[in-house]
Amino acid sequence: MKGVVFLGNRKTELRDFPDPTPGPRDVILEIKASGMCGSDLHVYRTPKERENPNIAGHEPCGVVVEIGSGVSDKEARIGQRVMDHHYEGCGVCRHCASGWGQMCLEGAVVYGAVGDGAHANYMRVPVSTLVPLPDELSFQSGAAISCGTGTAFGALRRLGLKGDETLVVFGQGPVGLSATQLATVMGARVIALDISAERRVLAQQMGADVVLDPLAVDVVATVHDLTHGEGADKTLDTSSNPEARAQAVRCTRAWGSCCYVGEGGDVSLNVSPDLIRRQITLMGSWTFSTVGQADCARFVADRQIDVDSLFTDRWTLAQAEQAYQLFDQQQCGKGVIFPNGE
């Protein structure tokens, strides 16, 4: 089979790999859609050459085509449409037992990073990581829910967003656009920020009530002006930008909550005026559990949310280099690779 690897220095390569075979508790997926995630860019941009890189892609969605000898009919069946929770832990610690394999006390394998991922024709995964894909949803929607959209849903749940609240979303990449779309459906008023004009247009299409260019306005003052001088009920940073992270806290009203989901980087805050004296709750949110992924898929299906509209670019495996060159510019929406054709 063919698979895409990140070599470092913004280079990709399409390589030949043996077709995977299942262990007793594994299944083989034929990958129907493999989403491109902003966190892919951390690996893609690595300045040094990577030795023996794994197959990339951590937003897998496809069909079960082979089942290990120890997998029961209740766990998986040939032809089943599934997403994959792209982490494997020990399976028995308290985090794994609750569906949070990425937080395994023994350490986790992250598919698409240190384990072979979904930018390939086939993928071997533990049966415990399968999450059913509702029949109402496309494979590409399932790919989005497998990381970007699922991460946004998990963060909004962590924030406890309510329909009568104002939410500010910093960054309108795939996760930020998903947060804008989902929060709008939840009934919230959404203020969306991004330095890219193209992404601000996408945010409007996802339902944002107000879009702002953070390079053109005083963000904190503008948000306060838009919220009767108080600030937003909830804020969410998906950008990883240090200035945006600080602004997210300072845009939050007294007793409000701010959540960070953008990976890496740092932030500098003046703790007393920014946090303590305004009773701000500051939290981090890391993706979602298997249960959270299933809940997100059901939420999207039941409300007929057009997650497919997040995708502005669709690619084949052979086009991966072109796909990531475009995605690296951070001006488009979400991209998806179809390893076996649409």
Side-chain angles (χ1 to χ4, degrees):
M1 71 173 187
K2 299 288 187 180
V4 175
V5 299
F6 296 143
L7 300 178
N9 290 314
R10 289 178 160 87
K11 297 176 183 177
T12 68
E13 186 172 276
L14 186 61
R15 293 183 176 179
D16 290 310
F17 291 88
D19 288 350
T21 56
R25 295 287 297 159
D26 296 333
V27 304
I28 304 300
L29 302 183
E30 179 182 348
I31 299 299
K32 296 296 188 179
S34 180
M36 297 167 63
C37 179
S39 58
D40 287 339
L41 296 177
H42 296 296
V43 184
Y44 174 73
R45 293 168 175 170
T46 298
K48 61 182 180 181
E49 295 289 335
R50 302 176 69 222
E51 294 184 8
N52 301 315
N54 296 100
I55 298 172
H58 63 268
E59 295 189 339
C61 193
V63 173
V64 176
V65 293
E66 193 172 352
I67 293 175
S69 60
V71 175
S72 71
D73 292 341
K74 292 182 178 179
E75 293 175 299
R77 65 183 186 277
I78 300 296
Q80 184 178 5
R81 304 169 79 247
V82 295
M83 302 172 287
D84 185 66
H85 189 253
H86 59 279
Y87 309 97
E88 180 184 9
C90 70
V92 296
C93 74
R94 63 190 181 93
H95 295 306
C96 288
S98 60
W100 289 92
Q102 66 269 45
M103 298 181 69
C104 177
L105 295 174
E106 301 297 323
V109 173
V110 182
Y111 294 110
V114 295
D116 284 335
H119 286 355
N121 303 112
Y122 300 97
M123 182 179 175
R124 177 176 56 225
V125 301
V127 68
S128 60
T129 64
L130 296 183
V131 178
L133 177 68
D135 290 339
E136 304 96 310
L137 299 184
S138 69
F139 287 113
Q140 66 179 5
S141 285
I145 292 166
S146 294
C147 190
T149 297
T151 293
F153 184 80
L156 296 179
R157 275 194 162 183
R158 286 273 284 150
L159 280 166
L161 184 68
K162 298 176 182 177
D164 62 349
E165 293 180 326
T166 295
L167 171 74
V168 183
V169 182
F170 288 78
Q172 295 297 306
V175 176
L177 287 171
S178 292
T180 295
Q181 183 180 54
L182 294 171
T184 299
V185 173
M186 293 174 182
R189 177 191 184 213
V190 179
I191 300 171
L193 294 91
D194 203 285
I195 62 173
S196 163
E198 291 84 356
R199 285 184 166 178
R200 292 197 299 274
V201 170
L202 291 171
Q204 287 180 312
Q205 294 171 359
M206 294 302 115
D209 296 275
V210 179
V211 295
L212 300 175
D213 178 357
L215 299 180
V217 300
D218 181 324
V219 171
V220 177
T222 302
V223 170
H224 278 77
D225 287 344
L226 291 167
T227 54
H228 310 287
E230 291 199 56
D233 302 278
K234 308 286 170 62
T235 59
L236 174 64
D237 177 67
T238 72
S239 72
S240 302
N241 179 277
E243 185 176 2
R245 284 176 170 163
Q247 290 171 342
V249 172
R250 293 167 185 150
C251 284
T252 306
R253 68 175 56 194
W255 301 101
S257 298
C258 174
C259 182
Y260 293 165
V261 299
E263 292 272 16
D266 54 21
V267 64
S268 179
L269 297 170
N270 192 334
V271 173
S272 292
D274 289 342
L275 293 172
I276 295 175
R277 295 179 185 175
R278 296 192 302 118
Q279 307 278 11
I280 299 296
T281 299
L282 178 59
M283 67 188 76
S285 183
W286 188 20
T287 58
F288 41 81
S289 66
T290 51
V291 174
Q293 186 172 351
D295 287 349
C296 179
R298 192 71 268 160
F299 181 87
V300 169
D302 288 349
R303 288 155 182 80
Q304 300 181 342
I305 301 172
D306 186 14
V307 171
D308 286 352
S309 65
L310 294 167
F311 292 93
T312 56
D313 302 284
R314 294 160 176 80
W315 310 94
T316 66
L317 285 176
Q319 295 172 315
E321 183 172 1
Q322 179 185 354
Y324 276 97
Q325 286 174 351
L326 176 64
F327 195 45
D328 188 35
Q329 298 174 26
Q330 293 184 278
Q331 295 182 351
C332 58
K334 194 167 181 64
V336 62
I337 292 175
F338 295 107
N340 294 290
E342 293 189 49

